[in-house]
Amino acid sequence: MVNMIILAVVFVIGAFIFQVTLSGFSRKVVARIQKRRGPTVFQNFYDIGKLLFKESSISHGFIFDFGIWMALGSTIATLLFMPVGGWALMPKYANIIVIIYLLAVGSLGMAMSAVGSGNPLASIGVSRALTQMFAYELPFVVIAVLIIYLAKSSNILKIIEYQTQNGWNLFSMPIGALVAYISLMGMLGKKPFDTPIAPAEIASGPLVEYSGKYLGFLMIQHEFATFIEVGLFVHLFMGSTSIIGFLIKYIIVYISAVMISSVMARLKIDEVVKFYWRWPLGLAILQAIITLGVRF
Amino acid sequence: MSMSTVSLMEKIKNIIRGHSLWMLHYCTGCGAMELPPTMTARFDMERLGFAPMATPRQADILLVTGYLSVKTLRRLIYTYEQMQDPKWVVGFGSCTINGGIYYDSYATIKRLDLYLPVDLYIAGCMPRPEAVINGFKKLMDMIKSGEANGWKKYKENLEWYRANQRKILGDSLYVTR
């Protein structure tokens, strides 16, 4: 038991340091694409540190405070179910359904907290964020269910095992991988789908009233959520049992998402929903028909 | 605050603060024109850790670009008071120092530091991006050494600042919107 707690703490801190360094590196990549020098790789550590060291941070009541703890706590809890390579803290419970459900609790906590601030821009941002979640989850879940059907298990470790025997899902179902990748861009809030936090339009949306420590906690929550979402994609489509291999694939997937993001323009929220329910959903169903047709 | 009384923890905090400064640019004057080149590829403010922010809650620096009319001063004071400690004010261009070319205008204020605690002025009409980057670098050094503490001054001398604000704004400062 004590061993497991120590492992959990090491895992959470390791994931934090890895992801924050990587997002610092991704700022550097974006800067190079725009022909700039860009900040140091450790810039995100400075940003989070500065926010946590602010002398004051305004609160807008109990729901506002509680929602932040709910978001951060549930995201860290989700992280503990997440396998890395072939290793998982709780191998029995490394389940894709658990992860998708628990991740939604984080978004709901943030939504509750942002609405609790009473700022109209925050309400607009939250309604956009939840609408977008509604849009990208449907195609993603179709593909996830297809993979669960093929692997005969919703346990991610079993899915990885299935891929070591039958080859990566990325190659056996390329259309599905494309759909999941587009859904991943929506989950991460990368550029064509960064409608919920449009800084020039609704003043960073749900984050509009946060300051100091609260904003710092939400940044940490965002880093953990990124780790879970990108990790889920890597496990479902590029599964392998080594941790180093996982991290390399993770870096490739994340940096490519950042690169695509840096040359895109923002869609409106109705365009986002129409897009997701027309193209990725259609392609997901096509992939399901093809895969099942080949098998029977 | 002298250097000898600053504890080690405070020094570490100041160094981290000095590396990450998010600014809210209050673009009423023409000086705002010089900010896009400062932010984008040519001069690249982000390499020093500066980033533009959309709301006063998230910002650390209030950048006042150019002249302030009496009406906008009230909004500026609200904005400043919504920001969270520690926070800094940078006066940009000669209008914030002595009125600049609006020295005899009836509708603008002449000296910003009568109303808000200015930590640093960037002089010029308008200052070029090089001067802006130079000013930011100076502000970073001041924050790291703990010299930039206008937000403490504002708290300590609140009555003096309030009296000055009331002199020019009358009671309109406290009218609820």
Side-chain angles (χ1 to χ4, degrees), chain A residues 27 34 36-39 43 46-47 50 53-58 199 203-204 207-211 215, chain B residues 9-10 13 16-17 19-22 39-41 44 46-47 49 54-55 57-60 84-86 151:
Chain A
R27 283 173 77 168
Q34 298 173 347
R36 293 187 284 123
R37 282 190 54 143
Q43 186 60 45
Y46 287 130
D47 287 352
K50 172 206 70 177
F53 286 146
K54 277 272 198 183
E55 306 266 319
S56 64
S57 32
I58 194 132
S204 70
L207 302 175
V208 64
E209 279 291 325
Y210 294 98
S211 57
L215 189 59
Chain B
M9 196 57 208
E10 202 61 36
K13 280 184 187 175
I16 290 176
R17 280 169 189 156
H19 273 103
S20 164
L21 291 161
W22 293 349
M39 286 174 196
T40 48
D44 189 20
E46 198 191 8
R47 76 196 138 98
T55 81
R57 299 281 190 212
Q58 300 167 358
D60 306 304
Q84 302 298 310
D85 300 333
W151 55 285

Side-chain angles (χ1 to χ4, degrees), chain A residues 169-188:
Chain A
N169 284 335
L170 182 65
F171 298 130
S172 61
M173 43 169 87
I175 305 175
L178 180 69
V179 171
Y181 192 78
I182 296 171
S183 299
L184 178 73
M185 299 278 288
M187 285 184 204
L188 297 176

Side-chain angles (χ1 to χ4, degrees), chain A residues 4-276:
Chain A
M4 198 157 155
I5 292 172
I6 293 170
L7 261 183
V9 171
V10 170
F11 175 43
V12 169
I13 292 174
F16 176 75
I17 291 174
F18 174 72
Q19 173 53 37
V20 176
T21 314
L22 189 60
S23 36
F25 181 68
S26 77
R27 283 173 77 168
K28 201 95 181 156
V29 170
V30 173
R32 284 295 147 85
I33 290 172
Q34 298 173 347
K35 289 199 171 182
R36 293 187 284 123
R37 282 190 54 143
T40 62
V41 176
F42 306 109
Q43 186 60 45
N44 280 25
F45 286 104
Y46 287 130
D47 287 352
I48 291 173
K50 172 206 70 177
L51 287 171
L52 296 181
F53 286 146
K54 277 272 198 183
E55 306 266 319
S56 64
S57 32
I58 194 132
S59 170
H60 294 275
F62 175 69
I63 292 293
F64 185 81
D65 302 350
F66 177 72
I68 291 165
W69 290 110
M70 185 170 149
L72 183 61
S74 73
T75 310
I76 292 176
T78 320
L79 186 68
L80 297 181
F81 289 101
M82 193 67 204
V84 173
W87 177 85
L89 191 65
M90 291 173 274
K92 257 190 220 165
Y93 305 108
N95 201 308
I96 183 171
I97 296 171
V98 173
I99 288 174
I100 289 177
Y101 264 93
L102 270 180
L103 202 56
V105 177
S107 309
L108 291 179
M110 199 175 151
M112 211 168 82
S113 167
V115 172
S117 72
N119 191 311
L121 292 175
S123 305
I124 295 173
V126 162
S127 78
R128 285 182 181 192
L130 294 181
T131 314
Q132 180 162 319
M133 209 168 106
F134 200 46
Y136 67 67
E137 282 209 329
L138 195 54
F140 185 76
V141 165
V142 169
I143 292 298
V145 168
L146 187 63
I147 291 173
I148 291 171
Y149 176 76
L150 290 180
K152 301 278 181 265
S153 170
S154 60
N155 191 319
I156 293 178
L157 295 175
K158 293 272 170 58
I159 292 173
I160 293 170
E161 212 173 277
Y162 168 80
Q163 291 180 71
T164 49
Q165 288 158 9
N166 300 340
W168 289 1
N169 284 335
L170 182 65
F171 298 130
S172 61
M173 43 169 87
I175 305 175
L178 180 69
V179 171
Y181 192 78
I182 296 171
S183 299
L184 178 73
M185 299 278 288
M187 285 184 204
L188 297 176
K190 290 291 176 196
K191 221 20 120 9
F193 312 114
D194 74 335
T195 332
I197 39 163
E201 192 184 326
I202 50 171
S204 70
L207 302 175
V208 64
E209 279 291 325
Y210 294 98
S211 57
K213 292 180 186 64
Y214 295 131
L215 189 59
F217 289 141
L218 284 183
M219 276 183 78
I220 295 171
Q221 187 261 346
H222 180 73
E223 304 292 357
F224 283 139
T226 306
F227 189 85
I228 294 163
E229 286 151 359
V230 179
L232 199 59
F233 179 86
V234 172
H235 285 316
L236 289 187
F237 291 97
M238 308 155 88
S240 68
T241 47
S242 80
I243 292 179
I244 300 293
F246 168 78
L247 294 182
I248 290 170
K249 287 169 204 161
Y250 182 101
I251 291 172
I252 291 170
V253 170
Y254 184 72
I255 295 295
S256 66
V258 168
M259 282 175 160
I260 294 171
S261 164
S262 68
V263 293
M264 290 288 203
R266 187 184 307 133
L267 293 176
K268 286 185 286 187
I269 188 65
D270 54 328
E271 289 168 346
V272 169
V273 176
K274 269 182 202 157
F275 173 76
Y276 270 116

